[in-house]
Amino acid sequence: MQKVENQVHKALAVMDKKSGKMLNYRQLLRHPDYKKDWSLSSANEFGRLANGVGGQIKNPTNTIKFVRYKDIPKERRKNVTYGQFVCTVRPEKKEQNRTRFVVGGNKINYPCEVAIPTTEMLVAKLLFNSVVSTPGAKFMTMDLSNFYLMTPLKRPEYIRMKMSDIPEEIILEYKLRDKVSKEGSIYIMAIRGIYGLPQSGLLANELLEKRLNKNGYYQSKYIPPGLWKHEWRPIQFTLVVDDFGVKYVGEEHAQHLKKALEKDYTVTTE
């Protein structure tokens, strides 16, 4: 198990072009060749999660708030978890240096169900075959950005980080030196879904289902779970977390689904 965990962490690190070594977040922040770029990347991630940073983030999610230890309810202090950054280089993205803040879900003691319903392979095959066999049918994909981050939690979760892991830009923006503990820790309260929380996926899925139902989209009752359709429009889709595989007959029907989703999410299509 430890070997697998080490391999995962290496996969979520960045290669130093000169030495060939894989550098994690802390190593990147201390490396003279990478410090500037990855400090900016992590500051942008904090800005997206919190309430912006220096006017650089167009639509911050207000997912987290910085709090003092004394602000954490006493009965929740034993469940404070850790946070860490994972870094990757994504050449195909507009922001190529990608930093993501991930919460240690293994420390969360969540009292409710967390399992997420998913789409069976059979359902995906049925949809693909239907696209081929239906006259005039087309296929497209839709992806929801910041899917987890837009979902309110049923209860807040609390995270501890070393202030030395937080970029200076964020420390100044949120006056964190006024909130740091004697041990050098900063405490964060998550009020919306965030990567790593075990309940994030299910809560996001339940909220998405309610929003789809309001616009006339429902899961089929006659085949294995995962195939959705509209009350009357000639459109069907599979849904895996935040990825849609959409079959439609008529561009206006695909646009109806896209506009329904855009009321609450940022949608990209292919």
Side-chain angles (χ1 to χ4, degrees), residues 209-218 230-233 256-257 259-261 263-264:
E209 182 167 2
K210 289 179 182 178
R211 289 168 171 171
L212 286 169
N213 291 165
K214 286 182 180 179
N215 288 277
Y217 296 94
Y218 297 89
H230 191 266
E231 291 172 324
W232 61 269
R233 293 177 182 273
H256 180 269
L257 174 60
K259 290 178 180 177
L261 293 170
K263 295 175 184 177
D264 302 289

Side-chain angles (χ1 to χ4, degrees), residues 44-53 57 59-66 170 174:
N44 285 344
E45 174 69 352
F46 268 121
R48 280 187 288 270
L49 292 172
N51 193 30
V53 54
I57 307 300
N59 296 305
T61 61
N62 292 300
T63 295
I64 64 172
K65 298 180 183 296
F66 296 101
I170 295 297
Y174 292 92

Side-chain angles (χ1 to χ4, degrees), residues 38-239:
W38 288 98
S39 290
L40 175 61
S41 178
S42 59
N44 285 344
E45 174 69 352
F46 268 121
R48 280 187 288 270
L49 292 172
N51 193 30
V53 54
Q56 297 164 200
I57 307 300
K58 182 181 289 187
N59 296 305
T61 61
N62 292 300
T63 295
I64 64 172
K65 298 180 183 296
F66 296 101
V67 298
R68 294 178 174 84
Y69 181 73
K70 67 178 183 180
D71 297 327
I72 302 174
K74 291 182 179 180
E75 68 274 12
R76 298 297 311 282
R77 291 176 184 175
K78 63 180 180 180
N79 298 133
V80 173
T81 188
Y82 59 91
Q84 61 183 358
F85 280 110
V86 294
C87 302
T88 56
V89 177
R90 301 285 297 278
E92 76 279 9
K93 297 288 187 178
K94 183 177 180 181
E95 186 178 339
Q96 296 185 6
N97 294 332
R98 309 281 286 184
T99 302
R100 287 293 175 263
F101 183 62
V102 180
V103 171
N106 60 311
K107 297 290 186 179
I108 300 294
N109 181 22
Y110 191 67
C112 303
E113 180 63 53
V114 297
I116 309 171
T118 188
T119 300
E120 294 186 16
M121 182 63 72
L122 172 63
V123 177
K125 289 181 178 179
L126 289 172
L127 184 68
F128 295 146
N129 288 334
S130 180
V131 173
V132 175
S133 61
T134 303
K138 294 183 178 181
F139 183 82
M140 68 183 300
T141 62
M142 297 186 185
D143 176 71
L144 308 184
S145 300
N146 295 330
F147 180 56
Y148 287 175
L149 308 184
M150 305 305 292
T151 306
L153 297 177
K154 293 182 178 180
R155 69 172 195 182
E157 300 293 350
Y158 297 93
I159 307 145
R160 179 177 59 249
M161 284 195 72
K162 292 183 178 180
M163 194 163 81
S164 57
D165 289 338
I166 299 176
E168 184 67 18
E169 192 172 359
I170 295 297
I171 292 173
L172 295 175
E173 179 89 15
Y174 292 92
K175 299 180 174 60
L176 297 187
R177 288 190 174 87
D178 296 337
K179 297 180 179 179
V180 65
S181 70
K182 294 179 181 179
E183 298 78 24
S185 297
I186 290 294
Y187 290 87
I188 297 169
M189 179 175 69
I191 58 175
R192 295 174 184 264
I194 194 170
Y195 307 111
L197 288 180
Q199 68 268 41
S200 288
L202 181 60
L203 294 177
N205 184 274
E206 290 175 343
L207 182 58
L208 174 59
E209 182 167 2
K210 289 179 182 178
R211 289 168 171 171
L212 286 169
N213 291 165
K214 286 182 180 179
N215 288 277
Y217 296 94
Y218 297 89
Q219 287 201 64
S220 174
K221 299 179 181 179
Y222 303 107
I223 62 172
L227 185 67
W228 292 71
K229 60 183 181 180
H230 191 266
E231 291 172 324
W232 61 269
R233 293 177 182 273
I235 185 170
Q236 295 176 308
F237 58 87
T238 58
L239 175 59

